[in-house]
Amino acid sequence: MTDVLIVGYGPVGQVAAILLAQRGFTVRVLEKWTTPYSMPRAVSYDGEASRILAACGVADRLGDVTELSGEYTWKNGFGRTLLHVRAAPDGPSGWPDSTSFYQPGVEERLAERGAELPGVQVQRGIEVTGLTDHGDRVEVTAVDGDGGPHTYTASWVLGCDGANSFVRGWLGAGVTDLDFTHDWLVCDVVLHTPREFTPNNLQICDPARPRTAVSAGPNHRRWEFMRVPGETLEEFRTEASAWRLLGLFDITPDNARLDRYGVYTTQACSADVWRRGRVFLAGDAAHVMPPFLGQGMSSGFRDVVNLAWKLDLVRRGRAGEALLDTYQVERRAHVQHAIRMSMDSGAVICETDQKKAAGRDSVMLAALRRRTQQRHVRSLREAIVDGVLHRADDGTPTPHAGEPAPQGRVTVDGRTGGFDDVVGVGFTLLTREPATLDDDAVAFLDDLGAYRLVVRPADDDAAAGDLADLDGVYSTWLGGADAALIRPDFYLFGVAAGPDAAATLVADLRRQVAAPALQP
């Protein structure tokens, strides 16, 4: 029997398999397609996604298939700049705020990493046809390309099988559709002679034809064109239409190769149920959003990094099954922000009414003059609002609980680098002074594999095991707190002040996650 059976082996399924296998799980993946999809779909991901990819052990393998997203500019139909932002190369997650990438290349590197892990077994050309949850295990039925039947058994099943998810259908999960539908002709292009594009990523908010020109990773570009009123889908989706519209950017068969073209219909929706018993959803199976902020795949990565550590505690008998209920509680609410932000951006970009577009332009040009638009990018980092969070006596989460934790440069025991590389990934207790913990609290943290570190300024004499905060990231982040406890998915469990700060945090975490037999 396998610990976890994953349905679907796109990027989210791949990351899930790696994160679980690195924790000692046996993982079987069933993918109905016999070969990886060869064309790019997503073209950018955020700093949190980069941090998760690094946790998968592939950060040093992506250099030839990724590049900094750089500038992102929106212009109106007259060429006036409505918004201009530059993605920071060193964002708060310790990685660039935005990375442009060639998806087939990233999938290849993830597949290589999965193949290195003895716990991962990938079977392609196998389509899942049925699930039966027996309470202590899940039986999965499937067929191969010749119609031959197969049966598998797993402790848990994770559906990463995309927007048309079989697993979601089996769950009987309804979908809340926010009704954001537009047809876009997507053209992935390789230029015969590379050229520099300034800005690297461009949205033209022209009511006559909304259009996009963005990086799809090194030596790859994407152009997208929205279908406008009065244009039939049949005439819009042709190769002739693709070349005609690419001509707006001086892209022709003489200077470029059209790798892929096809119509993509934007959606904004999320499943109402993400877990039933031993079966879970993640990625596009759980939520779909417009592509304008590059949050679809990034959100899927956040799903599986959240679920992986919780499954690990339950599998090892360190937490009760109730911990798994917090997966839907945390992720379904959290992803609504990304969906809404993507819709808000899409509403600006997709406007085809001339008068409404003129009003939009006036508002955005005035905001640009006031230099207020930088907040638009920063607000993508969102806190978890409920779930495994430090709570006050009345049960409400305490201030700052659920916020994404930063990553800074540190030195520990002579090693210098980003926090995750130097310290590791897992539960982390940071304190300003050595923590006063009783034996049970220490044993609980040790059982979790938690790191315990005292934060020191860079110019202080650090004792063995102390963390030298080279750029003041953690000292500033702690603020008036004396202790902070970070979860393995890089979100803050909570902060506390006073001489018992660390003990308070550890005791609360223990109450929330420990199996009944292990609770104080």
Side-chain angles (χ1 to χ4, degrees):
M1 185 168 82
T2 303
D3 290 327
V4 177
L5 187 147
I6 298 174
V7 184
Y9 205 48
V12 173
Q14 291 177 311
V15 167
I18 292 167
L19 292 173
L20 291 167
Q22 289 178 162
R23 288 173 164 84
F25 284 74
T26 56
V27 181
R28 183 187 298 275
V29 182
L30 302 182
E31 168 56 64
K32 68 178 180 179
W33 302 110
T34 56
T35 58
Y37 189 66
S38 62
M39 294 298 179
R41 285 154 286 170
V43 292
S44 67
Y45 54 78
D46 64 18
E48 287 185 83
S50 288
R51 195 172 187 181
I52 295 166
L53 287 169
C56 290
V58 298
D60 60 350
R61 308 183 188 194
L62 302 177
D64 63 334
V65 294
T66 61
E67 64 183 16
L68 293 176
S69 293
E71 295 177 293
Y72 187 31
T73 300
W74 295 9
K75 294 180 179 290
N76 67 8
F78 302 101
R80 297 189 67 184
T81 297
L82 302 176
L83 178 142
H84 177 80
V85 294
R86 184 183 295 275
D90 53 351
S93 292
W95 293 92
D97 279 340
S98 180
T99 296
S100 297
F101 75 109
Y102 182 59
Q103 183 168 336
V106 170
E107 289 195 41
E108 182 181 340
R109 307 307 190 273
L110 287 169
E112 290 171 356
R113 174 60 180 152
E116 295 170 357
L117 298 169
V120 178
Q121 182 178 359
V122 180
Q123 295 176 253
R124 289 190 171 274
I126 305 290
E127 183 172 2
V128 173
T129 57
L131 302 170
T132 304
D133 189 339
H134 293 284
D136 61 345
R137 69 196 186 282
V138 183
E139 185 177 278
V140 181
T141 57
V143 295
D144 58 31
D146 297 323
H150 298 264
T151 302
Y152 308 92
T153 305
S155 296
W156 294 283
V157 168
L158 176 57
C160 299
D161 50 340
N164 298 313
S165 170
F166 170 85
V167 178
R168 187 181 66 241
W170 178 87
L171 284 176
V175 174
T176 298
D177 191 334
L178 299 177
D179 191 23
F180 189 89
T181 303
H182 298 279
D183 294 328
W184 284 75
L185 182 62
V186 177
C187 303
D188 289 318
V189 174
V190 177
L191 299 172
H192 297 332
T193 303
R195 69 172 87 160
E196 183 177 352
F197 291 87
T198 304
N200 198 33
N201 301 285
L202 174 66
Q203 296 282 359
I204 299 182
C205 307
D206 182 357
R209 174 76 69 185
R211 50 199 186 271
T212 301
V214 294
S215 167
N219 303 316
H220 293 271
R221 296 289 300 178
R222 170 170 292 177
W223 281 268
E224 302 177 357
F225 307 90
M226 198 181 94
R227 185 164 70 96
V228 295
E231 192 169 35
T232 67
L233 188 58
E234 288 69 28
E235 66 179 311
F236 181 61
R237 69 194 329 164
T238 64
E239 183 175 355
S241 176
W243 282 118
R244 175 176 58 83
L245 293 169
L246 285 166
L248 296 171
F249 294 92
D250 191 30
I251 304 299
T252 72
D254 293 331
N255 59 29
R257 182 181 79 245
L258 184 58
D259 256 7
R260 168 188 180 264
Y261 70 95
V263 172
Y264 168 81
T265 302
T266 63
Q267 299 179 70
C269 57
S270 62
D272 299 328
V273 176
W274 291 38
R275 176 207 178 194
R276 182 160 290 143
R278 291 180 169 268
V279 181
F280 303 83
L281 301 176
D284 284 358
H287 49 76
V288 181
M289 65 195 72
F292 306 109
L293 294 178
Q295 285 295 297
M297 191 181 78
S298 299
S299 296
F301 287 179
R302 284 188 280 270
D303 296 342
V304 295
V305 76
N306 181 297
L307 183 60
W309 69 265
K310 295 174 181 178
L311 281 173
D312 182 47
L313 292 185
V314 173
R315 182 182 68 95
R316 293 195 291 119
R318 299 302 182 258
E321 289 276 342
L323 177 64
L324 301 178
D325 292 332
T326 67
Y327 170 62
Q328 174 173 320
V329 168
E330 294 181 1
R331 288 299 310 139
R332 189 175 188 277
H334 191 261
V335 80
Q336 303 309 313
H337 177 72
I339 294 173
R340 286 289 183 185
M341 289 289 292
S342 299
M343 287 179 60
D344 290 346
S345 295
V348 174
I349 293 164
C350 299
E351 182 58 70
T352 57
D353 183 281
Q354 296 280 355
K355 289 185 178 179
K356 291 180 180 178
R360 170 205 66 195
D361 292 355
S362 296
V363 171
M364 294 188 71
L365 288 168
L368 187 64
R369 286 191 295 271
R370 295 194 302 270
R371 299 183 180 275
T372 60
Q373 292 175 322
Q374 296 297 331
R375 300 172 190 170
H376 179 81
V377 174
R378 288 185 177 277
S379 63
L380 285 173
R381 284 172 58 84
E382 182 74 356
I384 294 169
V385 297
D386 197 5
V388 184
L389 305 174
H390 181 42
R391 295 176 182 275
D393 292 341
D394 64 0
T396 59
T398 57
H400 307 296
E403 292 180 356
Q407 178 177 200
R409 292 189 315 119
V410 301
T411 296
V412 178
D413 294 336
R415 293 189 60 208
T416 296
F419 183 97
D420 298 347
D421 287 336
V422 172
V423 176
V425 175
F427 282 101
T428 304
L429 178 65
L430 298 179
T431 57
R432 291 192 183 277
E433 299 295 337
T436 302
L437 300 171
D438 62 25
D439 291 344
D440 286 344
V442 171
F444 170 67
L445 289 176
D446 288 346
D447 200 39
L448 292 181
Y451 305 103
R452 287 179 284 150
L453 297 160
V454 178
V455 177
R456 301 293 191 196
D459 55 357
D460 272 16
D461 292 330
D466 285 356
L467 180 148
D469 187 11
L470 300 184
D471 300 318
V473 168
Y474 295 99
S475 298
T476 302
W477 181 61
L478 281 169
D482 293 294
L485 186 53
I486 304 169
R487 308 180 341 169
D489 54 4
F490 314 115
Y491 283 81
L492 181 64
F493 173 73
V495 296
D500 297 324
T504 298
L505 291 171
V506 174
D508 193 16
L509 179 66
R510 189 178 178 191
R511 282 192 294 270
Q512 292 191 45
V513 307
L518 301 175
Q519 290 178 352

